[in-house]
Amino acid sequence: MKKPIRIVNLVGARPQFIKASALSRELRKRPDLFEEIIVHSGQHYDENMSDVFFEELEIPQPQYHLGVGSSSHAEQTAKILKRVEELLLERKVDVLVVYGDTNTTLAGALAAAKLNIPVAHVEAGLRSHNSRMPEEVNRKLTDHASTWLFCPTQSAANLLKAEGISNRSAPHSPDSPAVVVTGDIMLDVARWASESADPSEYNIPSDPFILCTLHRDFNVDNPERLDAILKGMTQLSATAKVIFPVHPRTEKHITEEQREALVNAGCELVAPMSYRTLNAYLNACSLVVSDSGGLQKEAYFLQKPVVIPRPETEWVEMVQNGTAATVDAITERLVEQSLEWLNNPPSEYPPVYGNGQSAVVIVDAIAKMFE
Ligand code: UD1
């Protein structure tokens, strides 16, 4: 019998646990073909940023926990790079799968590419065209080191083509990559979770409310931008309830004065939510204000408009079809756009993110290369 393909599923940050859960579920259906090794870099480590996602999404416990924790970009990336290299060599790994745009993604891709181990990049081809974002640097470099580029949309594949990365013939390598449009893997997870969702488990307000999250470093580490956005959320709290699960990075930067203004206006600041809890709130809310790319799409799946406090977004389809708007960190624009959609929400959400079967397409493509 042929040896199974040994595949490392590398995760480290909250959105990656979500995406990896769908791929892991598909790999576990094919045990003759694949041996999966889940590796957690430790980039996110709090219970409510990590463990709860493994439990709710039924992800097996990682075989390796690299425990890198928080530090500067260089240090965090370097620690992951070194530890991933060691384990790729030790376990004689055939394929490394990475997700999105975090330091974990880049470090893993770099370690594997230098060992000539093929890298599969899930969520390839996204661009903000803003290289001041650490995520933009991570995703660009990862794409150029990958053998498989699994794109959530056709526009992501088009962006890769503009950078000289297009689908070439097998045998695949970073010089002759496979570019595959798979649909969005977060939709796989949303569909799976909705089958057993029970909103009555949560204490969700019955009146209209806005769900808000912030975590991008250029927003929360920058006092002027953060203040402008929070002023907008304070003003909006006078009109509708705002529920704001606070990311640990953001928690460090909100001042007492800002917190007080938000709370006095009626905003509810809460701890980061689990996947299922967040989805239950998302399903019940009227509007999302967020700088998160993942939440932006989850909102779209549930047909909720999103106001994005950024100058641009990678998920351009949503802006083009009028269900999301970028308002930068400009208080008046944030408030105006939000009020407009609270009163007059968009009604059309065309199916631009596939059919919720991305994991099957990805696993089939990898299996084919080893035939
Ligand atoms: C990271 C990713 C970003 C992704 C986001 C999802 C990079 C460069 N950024 O941003 O692409 O969208 O994750 O959340 O990889 N912290 C805790 N507890 C935790 C995790 C983090 O307290 O469990 C604190 C850390 O001390 C740190 C801050 O949060 O100061 C930020 O963590 P970090 O891993 O640097 O990046 P994120 O902002 O979460």
Side-chain angles (χ1 to χ4, degrees):
M1 206 181 91
K2 240 179 102 183
K3 255 188 18 213
I5 303 160
R6 190 171 278 176
I7 188 162
V8 163
N9 203 355
L10 178 65
V11 293
R14 192 166 59 170
Q16 295 167 339
F17 310 140
I18 300 170
K19 295 165 200 161
S21 72
L23 199 78
S24 175
R25 198 164 292 116
E26 190 56 36
L27 289 170
R28 280 180 275 129
K29 287 184 191 157
R30 312 187 198 191
D32 297 344
L33 213 52
F34 290 102
E35 177 194 345
E36 183 195 25
I37 302 174
I38 298 177
V39 178
H40 188 327
S41 70
Q43 183 171 348
H44 284 174
Y45 44 82
D46 285 345
E47 211 311 4
N48 58 14
M49 295 290 287
S50 173
D51 301 5
V52 68
F53 290 84
F54 281 78
E55 284 153 34
E56 279 194 351
L57 298 170
E58 299 175 7
I59 312 170
Q61 280 307 305
Q63 281 189 32
Y64 294 84
H65 199 296
L66 309 181
V68 298
S70 305
S71 40
S72 71
H73 283 285
E75 194 178 333
Q76 194 176 51
T77 310
K79 280 183 180 163
I80 303 169
L81 181 63
K82 185 166 180 292
R83 291 176 199 174
V84 171
E85 182 186 57
E86 284 161 7
L87 90 84
L88 290 174
L89 286 170
E90 186 190 308
R91 296 298 302 272
K92 299 191 172 49
V93 170
D94 296 312
V95 179
L96 174 81
V97 183
V98 292
Y99 301 86
D101 56 19
T102 72
N103 289 339
T104 299
T105 315
L106 173 63
L110 210 48
K114 295 282 185 80
L115 294 171
N116 296 323
I117 295 172
V119 175
H121 186 202
V122 177
E123 210 175 68
L126 293 196
R127 297 291 182 267
S128 63
H129 305 291
N130 175 359
S131 295
R132 294 167 67 101
M133 291 175 71
E135 292 90 343
E136 181 77 353
V137 178
N138 290 343
R139 55 171 89 99
K140 267 192 179 167
L141 297 179
T142 301
D143 280 339
H144 285 263
S146 293
T147 290
W148 287 279
L149 297 106
F150 293 119
C151 301
T153 59
Q154 185 58 48
S155 55
N158 297 345
L159 283 170
L160 287 177
K161 199 165 184 188
E163 287 178 18
I165 306 177
S166 51
N167 195 39
R168 303 253 170 95
S169 50
H172 295 300
S173 69
D175 302 319
S176 189
V179 179
V180 186
V181 177
T182 63
D184 197 302
I185 199 161
M186 291 188 95
L187 183 57
D188 297 29
V189 188
R191 292 258 167 91
W192 172 83
S194 70
E195 285 167 17
S196 54
D198 179 7
S200 68
E201 277 179 40
Y202 313 97
N203 200 8
I204 296 173
S206 48
D207 293 335
F209 68 93
I210 301 170
L211 188 63
C212 170
T213 78
L214 296 171
H215 79 276
R216 297 284 175 187
D217 63 354
F218 55 80
N219 277 337
V220 305
D221 298 4
N222 177 324
E224 288 86 43
R225 288 186 68 90
L226 182 61
D227 195 57
I229 298 167
L230 295 182
K231 282 211 167 84
M233 297 320 297
T234 305
Q235 287 180 31
L236 284 172
S237 299
T239 306
K241 187 166 196 62
V242 174
I243 300 188
F244 183 178
V246 187
H247 186 285
R249 178 185 278 279
T250 314
E251 181 70 42
K252 288 186 187 155
H253 293 284
I254 296 186
T255 64
E256 254 331 294
E257 202 181 319
Q258 287 165 334
R259 181 182 299 274
E260 222 174 279
L262 283 162
V263 171
N264 288 343
C267 173
E268 233 179 85
L269 295 145
V270 298
M273 292 177 179
S274 73
Y275 180 79
R276 283 186 182 281
T277 314
L278 188 76
N279 262 276
Y281 276 83
L282 196 52
N283 198 27
C285 78
S286 303
L287 172 79
V288 175
V289 178
S290 177
D291 61 10
S292 156
L295 187 59
Q296 211 178 299
K297 268 176 305 152
E298 287 166 338
Y300 192 85
F301 304 154
L302 295 170
Q303 309 208 337
K304 308 292 173 179
V306 187
V307 174
I308 306 166
R310 290 178 52 188
E312 75 283 303
T313 173
E314 299 77 15
W315 302 102
V316 286
E317 302 79 12
M318 299 174 56
V319 176
Q320 283 158 3
N321 66 29
T323 60
T326 50
V327 296
D328 210 346
I330 301 171
T331 310
E332 299 73 35
R333 282 180 62 193
L334 191 156
V335 173
E336 238 171 67
Q337 183 64 61
S338 301
L339 292 177
E340 152 85 22
W341 273 337
L342 280 176
N343 294 322
N344 190 12
S347 55
E348 298 280 329
Y349 291 75
V352 286
Y353 295 116
N355 59 7
Q357 294 292 315
S358 308
V360 176
V361 178
I362 292 170
V363 173
D364 281 348
I366 296 175
K368 195 162 162 227
M369 178 158 154
F370 287 86
E371 261 168 16

